[in-house]
Amino acid sequence: MRLRNIPGSREKIADSQLTIDRPEAYKGKWKEIFGNDHPIRIEIGCGKGQFICQLAKENPDINYIGIEKFSSVLIRAIDKIEETLDTDRPITNVRFLRLEAEIITDVFEKGEVDRVYLNFSDPWPKARHAKRRLPSKEFLWRYKIILKEEGRVEFKTDNRELFDFALEEVEAGGFKMIACTFDLHKDEEMNRGNIMTEYEERFSAKGNPICKYILQKKPEKP
Ligand code: SAM
């Protein structure tokens, strides 16, 4: 992703009512932020927010939290939601965290999250950086902690090497495969209701097939 340092982006994020400053303080209490007990779904690496904003618009009875490490892209996601707040159809079921996903177990309680979305995650091509890949087993272990029983992980990418790596991590990560495709846009069933991300639009326009899997958390051993 091409990143420009946007002056004032950190301050804007700190000032926005859509972002939570000290998210660790809400571990186990995210319902209080939303004022209801609707399921909580998170997107890790939400970028400019096209996917999560559209999901939130289509599903007002689900709460969404977009997690992104760079302020310069996160402010675009915040803008998308803020633009709706003065309209007759405000989107009120989204919040954003400027956060490195490595610490998500400090931010969410065991079983607090209903679903994790990963879209076009950074590939980290060097083998020694494999642990930093968001669908690695090290990250799956973190997702397993914060996900409720039978909670799901959904991952999309056009990067076949990253996807092949992700497939190999599923079992060791403590998940089972529910569905998988190597060409999402040609898979009628899996593509039904698909919401395109910014990267998905860009790469599918170039003719790249999009891979997707859906995982479910395996029950804990007694
Ligand atoms: N999901 C968007 C899409 O599909 O259009 C953006 C994809 S972009 C390639 C990956 C995004 O994930 C970047 O904005 C990057 O800053 C963010 N990201 C990567 N690793 C992250 C991490 N460990 N924690 C939070 N965000 C991360």
Side-chain angles (χ1 to χ4, degrees):
M1 175 174 288
R2 196 166 61 90
L3 285 174
R4 273 189 310 128
N5 181 27
I6 299 182
S9 55
R10 281 199 176 229
E11 292 75 6
K12 182 174 166 146
I13 286 168
D15 286 348
S16 172
Q17 296 196 335
L18 298 173
T19 57
I20 312 301
D21 253 356
R22 290 179 46 250
E24 296 91 336
Y26 291 94
K27 183 172 179 173
K29 299 181 198 159
W30 285 96
K31 286 175 185 172
E32 290 177 16
I33 291 282
F34 290 100
N36 59 50
D37 59 2
H38 296 165
I40 294 172
R41 299 185 176 173
I42 66 176
E43 183 187 10
I44 300 180
C46 67
K48 296 179 187 170
Q50 173 169 308
F51 175 81
I52 200 162
C53 295
Q54 186 60 28
L55 264 183
K57 190 174 172 185
E58 291 182 13
N59 301 284
D61 292 341
I62 295 172
N63 296 323
Y64 294 93
I65 299 178
I67 295 173
E68 170 54 52
K69 66 178 172 181
F70 287 124
S71 315
S72 48
V73 279
L74 189 57
I75 54 167
R76 302 297 178 216
I78 292 169
D79 283 346
K80 284 189 179 71
I81 297 298
E82 283 186 344
E83 279 164 14
T84 75
L85 295 181
D86 290 331
T87 67
D88 54 357
R89 298 190 68 189
I91 299 175
T92 57
N93 55 333
V94 191
R95 298 292 184 279
F96 295 102
L97 307 181
R98 195 185 63 74
L99 194 83
E100 300 258 357
E102 284 71 4
I103 63 156
I104 46 167
T105 53
D106 296 338
V107 168
F108 297 103
E109 190 52 88
K110 280 183 190 167
E112 196 170 18
V113 172
D114 176 75
R115 192 169 296 181
V116 174
Y117 295 103
L118 309 173
N119 291 314
F120 296 79
S121 306
D122 295 340
W124 291 103
K126 290 183 181 154
R128 69 172 190 276
H129 291 149
K131 284 184 190 171
R132 298 186 193 177
R133 298 173 191 154
L134 293 178
S136 66
K137 58 180 177 300
E138 288 80 4
F139 269 101
L140 290 176
W141 293 331
R142 296 178 176 112
Y143 308 149
K144 202 171 173 196
I145 292 170
I146 64 171
L147 277 169
K148 67 173 197 185
E149 278 313 305
E150 303 194 338
R152 292 182 172 195
V153 177
E154 297 196 8
F155 171 49
K156 292 195 277 190
T157 183
D158 70 320
N159 185 319
R160 185 58 194 265
E161 273 180 37
L162 178 64
F163 195 65
D164 287 343
F165 164 83
L167 292 176
E168 285 169 14
E169 300 287 281
V170 173
E171 185 68 29
F175 284 80
K176 68 176 176 187
M177 184 76 68
I178 297 290
C180 178
T181 177
F182 295 94
D183 197 349
L184 176 64
H185 297 173
K186 291 201 177 125
D187 184 318
E188 199 182 328
E189 195 173 331
M190 283 191 78
N191 198 39
R192 197 169 298 129
N194 182 48
I195 292 172
M196 299 255 262
T197 78
E198 276 100 347
Y199 272 63
E200 185 171 355
E201 283 185 349
R202 193 185 308 168
F203 291 122
S204 59
K206 287 184 181 172
N208 298 3
I210 307 300
C211 305
K212 176 175 179 175
Y213 73 38
I214 302 175
L215 309 183
Q216 189 171 64
K217 178 173 154 175
K218 276 190 188 164
E220 303 296 338
K221 288 195 180 107

